[in-house]
Structures are given as structure tokens and as C-alpha cells.
Amino acid sequence: MEYKPVRKVVSGNYAAAYAVKHARVEVVAAYPITPQTSIIEKIAEFIANGEIDNIQYVPVESEHSAMAASIGASATGARAFTATSAQGLALMHEMLHWAAGARLPIVMVDVNRAMAPPWSVWDDQTDSLSQRDTGWMQFYAENNQEVYDGVLMAFKIAETVNLPAMVIESAFILSHTYDVVEMIPQELVDEFLPPRKPLYTLTDFDNPISVGALGTPNDYYEFRYKLAKAMEDAKKVIHEVGKEFGERFGRDYSQMIELYRTEDADFVFMGMGSLMGTVKQAVDVLREEGYKVGAAKVRWFRPFPSEELYELAKDVQAIAVLDRNFSFGQEGILFNEAKGVLYNTDAKPLMKNYIVGLGGRDFTVNDVRKIAENMKAIIDKGELDVEVDWYHLKR
Amino acid sequence: MEIPENVKKRLSIPADEHFYAGHTACQGCGASLGLRYVLKTYGKKTIFTIPACCSTIIAGAWPYSTLDAPLFHTAFETTGAVMSGIEAALKVKGYKVKGEDGVMVVGWAGDGGTADIGLQALSGFLERGHDALYIMYDNEAYMNTGIQRSGSTPYGAWTTNTPGGKKHFLEKRHKKKVIDIVIAHEIPYAATASVAYPEDFIRKLKKARDTPGPSFIQLFSPCPTGWRSPTDKSIELARLAVQTAYFPLFEYENGKYKINMPSPKKEPKPIEEFLKYQGRFKYMTKEDIEILQQWVNHEWEKLKKLAEIFG
């Protein structure tokens, strides 16, 4: 069948819901939280209208239970999905470890939202980045198209390496903003994403298994190693699945870091998620103005694209890392990770951390220009002014 | 030893064993006995969810399992939620759930994981109407973590965080009535049971299996380690809990209450009968015993009235 995309104007959340439908998800257990809610509402609507049939929808009493029920469903062999945001993701935290430890390929959309207090419903990446060490893969979407594509790819990757995956989109900037999304006809999604073949199920009654039992000091260590290995192996699978997606549907995701006009760049802006759309636009403007700049969009934060980062870093003079998040007592989380990766290599670009857009603070092309001016001054001088710059701070 | 078929048919308790020898329960453990009866009744087509509790240990460390049935060990507060997910997945995969030829989804959790941290997930499970059975085995404290008080610990009981001393014991609250909280959800079937009355327990397990919708059994389950009682007195104590009406056996079925006491005409024995052999009650004074007796009397009268009005 020839690929003819179906174009729909949808929000990021509806893009996620359509992807869930097209992925033939079998169990959705979810709890409402702003701004995630319209994902599960749309799925409920699909079910009510008979647009999805072979599915069980479990309206649970908390996010903690949403993840627990997804775990039960996934361990029984079903393709399971849930979605959340901020405080909800924090409440799930314990069970995220359980999902990864039990090697269950659950896919979840997290709509990046700032953590309270003060209460905020706007964009901030600290919620998902706080889940860094749970054993979940993390894909950051730049736009609604990447939300849709990301969910479909995440299922395929997760079910290959038997690890859960999070697809992350920005609160309101994507979740509630409408844009054209090219959707894939069901038959072609089915070819790309066949039914799940579970690693194990709880329904093998003749050979019953016990999952999650006590692991003594004699065994626990090896369990952790296998999880670490699966995460490392995921890099290859991400590359292959991203490439296959490109060959089938024209959008190539084989690179974990998407490079934009970096070939001859003196310095690059690096970041994740929707803010990189603004950055790419700014790069075009700045190029017109004579800056030799590029953008490096980190698509997958877990596993971390260390090799790709090294390749990028050895060819540029400096990297401006834009973090819409912060690790208190240290620095921006992406900045921290990127510096760590490069320490034992011979690539030593100047690296500066800009904390931007926390809690939904606007981040515009003009902001990128100001950062470019500052970066240029640093490069000319050959040394940093400050390492971590709270760029938007009202002084 | 193979039991002849004609003898097997006459047995009131199934002869089949799906709970392996070599488990790691303490001597005189009521919970391990309860688990054995559940497996005898339901056989291999049972999927267990067990949260953090004594049974995590009893079921065995990786790679061993005491249960001849699939088991998902889960986090403390999630029994109700995980079994909901399992039930949903079974349905989407086309399995028959519940009934004699169906798959039984069983949550098996202690009183701490049910009355306290797991109450919310239990409530969600009940309210959504999943076809599964939640069994709370009630040994009246957090036994696996070293005998701390739970919401199900009775008035006057010593635990490590409600110790008795020269002046006072610290547990001043009566046992939380989890079964009443469950019944408030108006589910089709709920019951109390005791390891001292296996025929009654197995009959209730079968009823839970054959009644569509969520069901709940609160199983009284002695713990010699936590109760400071002799290991050979567990069954006697479980029986005395029923005979004193401290833990009466009853069923709630589609809005109706039915008391099923072994000797219906006999008046309950005094509560002292139940308190004996148990080191955990040694700090109780005469007045304390009276306070506990009053509570037992009150609850017993309440139950009898409920059975009379809604029988």
C-alpha cells in the first residue's frame, strides 16, 4: 500500500490520542490531570463512538494506580498506555521503577508541566527529568507531529527492548495548540507496529512465573546490569526504528540528536522539546544576520545520546545549553549530563547553561538572539562570564 | 500418597496441592495456611497479586516460588490497582474471568497493605466493579516489618510502635472495620473467614468465584511471632476469636447479611478466652479488658441487628 498521509489539524494531546488509537492499544488506565486530560478524554470519546473496540478503559482513582494498573495489564500481555503531568508523574514515581524493573513496555505521554508550589500548569521539564533514573526511555517532542510519531515509535522500541518509554510534550505550547499532523493510515501503522509479543505473561498457567520477587544480594546486582544493558542496546534499536520510520513515512528519526544547520557552525544551541522549534527559527534569522550558528535538538534523553553529542562537540567552539528545568544545588539537567559525557573526551567546547522558560515563561526568537550575542562575547574573550545563567530573571 | 478417587470425592477440602512445601513462613503462620486453601480451591488458573507483606517472603525469593500459579509481586499500596489491570487485560485478550472454568484474579494482601496504605486502591477496585477477589489476611499488625501497629490492630495490643510500659500501653484505638468500609461500596459479595474454619472459608472462596463482580474476604490469620503466642495455638486462637464474637463469621451478599457461626445458639464466650496465650495483650488491665468487651458486644449486637433487618 502506497503511503498517503491523512492530514488533520489537531492539538498535541489529540495527536497522542490518535497515535494510541492507531497503535491498537489494549488497556488504557488513566487519571485526569491538567493539561494531560484531553488525551484520555479523546480516547474515551473514540471508545464511546465505536472508533476503537478491542480496548479496556480503566478510570482509576489516582496516577499511582494508573501506573499500577498499566503494569498489571502489561504483565498480562496487553499493550498498555497511560498519560500524566507534573504532580501526577511525581505520584507515579514509585511505580515507574516497578514498570522498568519488571521489563514492561508501557508507553506513557507526559505533558511537561511545572512542579508546585507555587501552583503552575505551564511548561517546565523538571517533572519528567526528575524521573531520569527510573529506567524509562524518554523522547522529547518538538511539535504535534513528533508527539504522534513518537508514540508509535515508542511502542515499537519499547516492545523490542522490553523497557517502558515516555513521550514528552510541552504543556499548552503543544498539548492545547492546534497544528497540522500527518497521520498514517491504519493498515500501514499495523505493518510498522504488529501486535505485541510479550517477553512473558501471567497467563501461562502450565509454567507459572512469579514476577518481582525478592532479589537477594546474590541476584539483584545482575538484574540491574541487565536493565542497564537493555537501555544501552536501546540506542541501536532507536536508530533502526527511527530509520525505518523515515523510509516508510518520510520523517527520519534515526538520529537521537537532530542537528539543524550545524555543519559550519561556530556555536550551537542545544535543548529539548518545543523550545527547539523557536531556536531553529532563530537560527535562520541569526544566519541572515551573519551569525554562524546551529541547533542541536536532543530527542532522546534516555538513553542519553553520548556518541552523537561527542561527534557534535568536537566540531564546534561552544555550546549554549538551554534548560527548561533545574536541578537544585547544581545546574540545568541537560547541561549537567552533556558536560559529564564530554569530560573524558578530547572535545572541549566552551559550554554555558541558560535556564529559560521555567513555568511557562515566554521564550522567543529575540531571547535566542540575546543569548547568541552573549555567546559571541564569551567566545571572543575565550572564557565564560558565568557558567549557569538564569536568563529570564527579573533583576 | 495418591488419594483414591472415591475418597477424594468425599473430602470437603480439595485434596489438590498447589502450595509447595519448603515455603519460608514462620511456624504456626495463619497466612500460609490461608494461601494453601486458596490454591486448593482455585487451582492453577489463578493469577495472584501480592504486595509487600509476609507473603512476599512466604512466596519465595527469586528464582523460587512457593505458589504453583502465576504471581505478580507489587508495591505496598497497589494490590487493588494491579489486579484491576490484570483483569482488564484478561478481558481484552478474550479470557473468561471468574466462574469455575474461568481465570481467578486474586489480590492477597495483609491488613497493613489493605486497611492503611492500600485502602485507596482497594476502594477504586471495588467501585469500578472488576471481576476479581481481594483477600485481606488479617494478622492485626505489620508483621513482616517487625510488628508495628496497623489500622487493624485491636485495642490494648502491644506492638513495637505501641509498646506497653509500666504506665500504659499505647494502642488506644479499636480495630478498623475494613469489612464495613468494603460493604459501603455495595459490592455483590463480601465475607469474613477464619483459618480455623477451612470448610467455611472454602465455601466462601467458591461463592466469591461464582459471583460476578468484585468480591472481598477478610481472613482472620494468627501470627505467633507478632502475637507472642505459642506456635501450636494458632488454630485454637483463631477459633476463639470467632467463638468470642471478636471476629464473627458472616457474609454480605447483594445487600443481605448472613451470620455463619459454627454454634449459632451458643452465646459468645468472654473476650478473656481469646486474650489468653497472647503476650501482646499482657499490658491490659481489668478495665481495658472491659473496654474491649464492650466494643465486641456492641459490634456483635450491630451485626445481629443487620442480619435480622437485612437477612
Side-chain angles (χ1 to χ4, degrees), chain A residues 42 127 135 303:
Chain A
K42 190 67 182 171
D127 62 344

Side-chain angles (χ1 to χ4, degrees), chain A residues 33 169 214 329:
Chain A
I33 181 169
E169 57 163 321
L214 182 75

Side-chain angles (χ1 to χ4, degrees), chain A residues 276-291:
Chain A
M276 292 311 287
T278 307
V279 170
K280 283 190 208 166
Q281 194 195 341
V283 164
D284 291 343
V285 174
L286 290 166
R287 284 254 172 193
E288 294 280 313
E289 294 172 7
Y291 285 95

Side-chain angles (χ1 to χ4, degrees), chain A residues 26-27 53-56 58-62 64-66 68-79 91 94-95 98 102 104 196 198 200-216 219 223, chain B residues 20 44-48 56-57 59-65 67-78 80-93 95 103-104 120-125 127-128 130:
Chain A
E26 295 167 300
V27 176
D53 38 25
N54 196 38
I55 194 167
Q56 286 275 323
V58 190
V60 283
E61 77 292 343
S62 80
H64 196 279
S65 285
S70 301
I71 286 167
S74 190
T76 313
R79 184 171 281 164
L91 181 57
E94 179 196 17
M95 298 317 289
W98 220 279
L104 299 171
R196 179 185 164 205
Y200 63 84
T201 85
L202 297 175
T203 50
D204 189 355
F205 299 105
D206 292 324
N207 303 290
I209 53 159
S210 128
V211 187
L214 182 75
T216 64
D219 302 311
F223 272 90
Chain B
Y20 297 124
K44 295 162 71 127
K45 257 171 91 176
T46 309
I47 302 178
F48 282 89
T56 312
I57 310 300
W62 188 86
Y64 305 106
S65 181
L67 279 61
D68 182 19
L71 157 62
F72 195 89
H73 290 268
T74 190
F76 216 166
E77 64 279 46
T78 59
V82 171
M83 50 196 291
S84 301
I86 292 172
E87 183 251 25
L90 286 173
K91 287 192 167 162
V92 87
K93 293 283 183 192
Y95 285 89
V103 179
M104 270 310 284
Q120 175 178 305
L122 168 64
S123 175
F125 155 74
E127 155 226 308
R128 289 187 301 269
H130 296 279

Side-chain angles (χ1 to χ4, degrees), chain B residues 8 12 67 111 144 207 228 286 294:
Chain B
K8 249 188 190 178
S12 61
L67 279 61
D111 48 288
N144 197 33
K207 208 168 232 182
R228 298 291 190 246
K286 266 204 157 56
Q294 289 304 322

Side-chain angles (χ1 to χ4, degrees), chain B residues 137-302:
Chain B
Y137 67 95
D138 186 4
N139 53 31
E140 306 196 316
Y142 286 82
M143 296 309 183
N144 197 33
T145 48
I147 323 167
Q148 292 87 18
R149 138 192 225 278
S150 83
S152 198
T153 300
Y155 176 89
W158 161 92
T159 69
T160 52
N161 63 342
T162 57
K166 280 180 185 147
K167 281 187 170 173
H168 299 293
F169 56 81
L170 291 176
E171 186 46 63
K172 295 282 186 192
R173 304 286 303 170
H174 289 295
K175 191 176 170 70
K176 190 190 279 189
K177 304 275 285 189
V178 176
I179 187 89
D180 289 359
I181 298 170
V182 167
I183 290 170
H185 291 75
E186 298 185 350
I187 60 166
Y189 187 73
T192 59
S194 164
V195 293
Y197 299 93
E199 287 96 342
D200 176 77
F201 180 37
I202 288 169
R203 185 180 63 78
K204 286 168 175 171
L205 285 170
K206 285 181 178 165
K207 208 168 232 182
R209 178 189 69 195
D210 299 335
T211 310
S215 32
F216 177 89
I217 294 176
Q218 184 171 348
L219 177 70
F220 195 73
S221 167
C223 170
T225 310
W227 292 8
R228 298 291 190 246
S229 58
T231 53
D232 60 348
K233 292 291 180 195
S234 291
I235 300 301
E236 190 179 334
L237 286 172
R239 197 180 297 133
L240 284 167
V242 174
Q243 289 172 343
T244 55
Y246 170 77
F247 192 89
L249 299 178
F250 72 98
E251 287 168 293
Y252 170 87
E253 208 176 345
N254 295 312
K256 292 189 170 170
Y257 285 81
K258 188 181 178 200
I259 298 173
N260 11 63
M261 293 298 266
S263 315
K265 284 180 185 161
K266 275 193 188 162
E267 277 298 303
K269 292 180 177 175
I271 193 65
E272 282 101 327
E273 288 286 301
F274 171 63
L275 305 180
K276 66 186 181 186
Y277 309 127
Q278 299 190 57
R280 64 171 172 158
F281 292 121
K282 74 174 179 185
Y283 294 98
M284 289 175 85
T285 61
K286 266 204 157 56
E287 291 75 38
D288 293 326
I289 293 169
E290 187 49 35
I291 289 169
L292 184 61
Q293 183 69 66
Q294 289 304 322
W295 177 80
V296 170
N297 294 350
H298 179 262
E299 295 300 317
W300 176 231
E301 289 306 315
K302 201 163 83 184

Side-chain angles (χ1 to χ4, degrees), chain A residues 235-267:
Chain A
K235 288 182 181 177
K236 191 167 165 272
V237 177
I238 286 168
H239 173 76
E240 286 165 2
V241 171
K243 189 162 175 274
E244 184 193 345
F245 197 92
E247 282 162 3
R248 284 178 184 266
F249 313 120
R251 291 182 294 278
D252 184 285
Y253 290 91
S254 59
Q255 301 307 307
M256 294 170 74
I257 301 180
E258 183 196 329
L259 301 177
Y260 185 75
R261 301 186 78 168
T262 55
E263 307 81 27
D264 60 339
D266 294 335
F267 64 95

